[in-house]
């Protein structure tokens, strides 16, 4: 069991509060494992045709949402690694819309995107498991604001939960 204390409000910028608030304090590795299984189960039966569904004009497709979850986790895990290891270099933000625009997720199968998400999630869990206890309260700067390693772990989980909820409520219910 790996209990990582929930971050205090000053450990991350306001933008991430909804993600942190969505996650209860507890065994984060077990939560991330269950969450991955749930997302894979949720999207694993989506046909290729359905995976291109957008609930409104200008919104991302199901494939693009899954790709966004994965890319964001890659970036947040990278930040987690750097800050957890004591690197205090300011870490740049990123424009999620530019990432999705240039990723060309539609050329990939739904299974490829699910496999990619699974691989990234396994790598995230591995990183969380090997970080020493004193790494969790280390702080750095990302996207122009303060963030701790433990805040990043909670942000990863909360961000995926946020988008899984949107997938269920706005995409899958319409299919």
């Amino acid at each position: 069991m790996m209990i990582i204390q929930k971050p205090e409000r000053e450990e991350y910028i306001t933008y991430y509060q909804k993600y942190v608030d969505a996650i209860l304090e507890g065994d984060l590795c077990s939560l991330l494992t269950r969450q991955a299984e749930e997302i894979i189960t949720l999207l694993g039966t989506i046909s290729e045709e359905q995976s291109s569904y957008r609930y409104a004009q200008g919104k991302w497709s199901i494939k693009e949402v899954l790709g966004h979850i994965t890319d964001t986790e890659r970036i947040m895990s990278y930040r987690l690694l750097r800050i957890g290891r004591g690197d205090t270099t300011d870490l740049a933000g990123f424009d999620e819309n530019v990432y999705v625009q240039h990723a060309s997720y539609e050329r990939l199968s739904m299974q490829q995107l699910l496999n990619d998400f699974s691989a990234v999630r396994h790598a995230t869990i591995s990183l969380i498991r090997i970080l020493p206890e004193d790494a969790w309260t280390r702080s750095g700067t990302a996207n122009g604001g303060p963030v701790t390693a433990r805040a990043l772990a909670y942000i990863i989980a909360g961000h995926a939960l946020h988008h899984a909820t949107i997938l269920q409520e706005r995409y899958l219910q319409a299919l």
Side-chain angles (χ1 to χ4, degrees):
M1 184 179 283
M2 179 128 197
I3 305 295
I4 300 167
Q5 185 179 356
K6 196 165 185 170
E8 300 295 326
R9 181 54 209 96
E10 63 274 0
E11 293 182 46
Y12 53 89
I13 61 175
T14 303
Y15 177 82
Y16 297 118
Q17 186 165 358
K18 66 183 173 187
Y19 302 139
V20 174
D21 287 350
I23 303 301
L24 299 175
E25 187 171 273
D27 183 351
L28 209 50
C29 288
S30 292
L31 169 77
L32 289 167
T33 299
R34 276 191 321 276
Q35 187 181 68
E37 291 167 357
E38 290 167 3
I39 290 172
I40 290 166
T41 299
L42 180 69
L43 299 178
T45 60
I46 301 293
S47 71
E48 285 304 313
E49 183 180 332
Q50 291 172 321
S51 69
S52 294
Y53 174 75
R54 300 166 193 272
Y55 70 88
Q57 185 176 0
K59 296 298 182 180
W60 294 339
S61 69
I62 292 172
K63 283 183 175 183
E64 288 170 332
V65 173
L66 179 57
H68 164 71
I69 293 168
T70 305
D71 277 353
T72 300
E73 186 157 331
R74 281 185 172 104
I75 292 165
M76 295 300 173
S77 291
Y78 172 73
R79 291 174 178 177
L80 173 59
L81 172 66
R82 294 209 33 200
I83 291 169
R85 295 284 193 254
D87 187 344
T88 57
T89 306
D90 288 354
L91 302 171
F94 70 102
D95 184 334
E96 62 192 30
N97 292 307
V98 172
Y99 273 57
V100 169
Q101 178 185 356
H102 294 287
S104 302
Y105 294 121
E106 296 304 322
R107 69 183 165 77
L108 302 172
S109 72
M110 195 63 191
Q111 191 57 55
Q112 285 174 304
L113 291 166
L114 287 166
N115 291 345
D116 192 41
F117 167 72
S118 180
V120 170
R121 178 53 60 96
H122 285 295
T124 299
I125 293 167
S126 176
L127 173 60
I128 288 171
R129 283 192 174 127
I130 65 169
L131 281 176
E133 189 172 328
D134 63 339
W136 293 110
T137 54
R138 289 190 184 128
S139 184
T141 302
N143 202 28
V147 69
T148 61
R150 70 181 174 192
L152 286 161
Y154 276 82
I155 290 165
I156 289 166
H159 179 262
L161 176 61
H162 168 76
H163 285 290
T165 301
I166 289 172
L167 284 164
Q168 286 176 316
E169 293 175 357
R170 298 184 189 167
Y171 289 83
L172 300 182
Q173 283 187 5
L175 296 176

